Amino acid sequence: MAEEQRDVGGARGVRDSARDVGEPCSRSVRPEEAHAWEELVATARRTVSDGLVVGTSGNVSVRVDDTVLVTPSGVPYDRLAPDDITGVDLDGHQVLGTLVPTSELPMHLAVYRTTDAHAVVHTHAVHATAVSTLVQELPAIHYMSGALGGAVRVAPYATYGTAELAENMLHALTDRSACLLQNHGTMAHGPSLSQAYDRTAQLEWMCHLWLTASSVPGLTPHLLTESQVAEAGERLRGYGQRS
C-alpha cells in the first residue's frame, strides 16, 4: 500500500527553496488543475466536517504533473473559491495564485520529492495527536495497520513548518503511507486525494480504538503480531472491486 521511498534526504533545502511563495503569479490555470483544486477544497472541507481539524489547522495538497496545489495559509476552507487556487513547483516556487501556501509546505514537498504520492493530507485529529504524545509507535490494535504499510510510527517532535519536521516525518514514513507527528497530528499520502483521506481517517479511528481499549481498568488490549499485520496488508492489496 505504501509508495516507495526514494530519497530520505528530500526534506533538505525545502525551506530555502520555498522562499518565493506568496509572490504574484500570472500563469493561467489549466483545466486539470482547476478540477484538482475543486477536489482538494472538497477534501479540506471534509476534514473539518468529519472532525479531523479545527479552524484552519491541518492542510491538504495534490500533485498535478510537476505542480503541487496546496491549501493556503490561514484561510478557512469554507471560504476557498476557484480563484483562490494556490500552486507551487517541486522546488517550492509559487506558480499559481497570490495567497501564501500553508506553512507546512516543506512536509508536503518532501513527500512529493521522495515518493510516488499524488496527494497528501495533514490533520490535527484529536485521538491521533493524543496517541502521538504517549508512544513511539501506534500499538497494532487492528489489522488495518497493514493498509498503511505496517506499524504506524511517530515522528519525533520538531517545530511546525521546519525542514527538521519534514526530515523526521520522512524517516517515520519509510515504507509507510501514514505516520503520526509527535504532539502535532497525522500525515498520510496516497495515489489520490480520496485514498490519502481514507488513510487519514483510518489512522484516527485506530488511535481512537487503542485509546478506548487501553483505558479499561485492569485489562490490557490484545495486540496483533508483526506477521499478522503483514498478512492482513497483503490481503488488503486485493480488497474491493476490480476495474
Side-chain angles (χ1 to χ4, degrees):
M1 285 293 205
E3 286 80 12
E4 179 184 2
Q5 299 284 328
R6 291 196 292 262
D7 176 16
V8 174
R12 298 188 181 97
V14 171
R15 177 172 52 192
D16 291 336
S17 65
R19 73 185 69 181
D20 295 334
V21 298
E23 296 180 358
C25 301
S26 58
R27 176 169 81 73
S28 60
V29 179
R30 298 190 292 263
E32 59 270 29
E33 293 170 335
H35 176 75
W37 177 253
E38 182 179 358
E39 186 179 3
L40 180 150
V41 171
T43 301
R45 289 173 178 170
R46 188 179 176 189
T47 64
V48 176
S49 63
D50 288 355
L52 298 177
V53 303
V54 176
T56 60
S57 65
N59 26 78
V60 178
S61 68
V62 62
R63 179 174 178 176
V64 181
D65 296 325
D66 289 333
T67 299
V68 175
L69 306 180
V70 63
T71 48
S73 178
V75 180
Y77 299 145
D78 60 356
R79 298 182 188 175
L80 290 176
D83 290 343
D84 294 322
I85 188 169
T86 305
V88 301
D89 62 22
L90 293 175
D91 291 323
H93 303 295
Q94 191 154 359
V95 296
L96 288 173
T98 59
L99 295 176
V100 176
T102 172
S103 58
E104 298 291 13
L105 185 61
M107 281 203 298
H108 289 259
L109 293 180
V111 171
Y112 293 120
R113 292 166 65 176
T114 58
T115 77
D116 294 327
H118 280 79
V120 172
V121 175
H122 165 52
T123 78
H124 294 176
V126 64
H127 299 100
T129 304
V131 170
S132 78
T133 70
L134 299 171
V135 296
Q136 294 182 334
E137 183 177 277
L138 173 64
I141 192 70
H142 196 274
Y143 67 78
M144 282 305 293
S145 295
L148 304 178
V152 178
R153 307 182 187 102
V154 178
Y157 180 80
T159 304
Y160 79 92
T162 62
E164 181 185 3
L165 177 59
E167 186 81 12
N168 293 347
M169 174 207 66
L170 285 182
H171 284 289
L173 280 176
T174 301
D175 299 323
R176 302 289 187 269
S177 56
C179 72
L180 297 174
L181 307 172
Q182 191 175 67
N183 295 84
H184 187 154
T186 71
M187 197 69 172
H189 64 78
S192 66
L193 276 167
S194 62
Q195 286 184 273
Y197 182 86
D198 286 347
R199 288 168 176 171
T200 301
Q202 286 287 354
L203 178 54
E204 168 66 357
W205 178 82
M206 285 191 292
C207 288
H208 192 181
L209 175 62
W210 180 71
L211 288 171
T212 301
S214 60
S215 68
V216 178
L219 295 176
T220 300
H222 175 268
L223 301 177
L224 300 178
T225 66
E226 185 176 340
S227 62
Q228 287 173 326
V229 171
E231 180 182 3
E234 286 298 320
R235 291 179 64 86
L236 285 166
R237 292 178 190 274
Y239 178 78
Q241 301 299 314
R242 293 169 176 78
S243 58

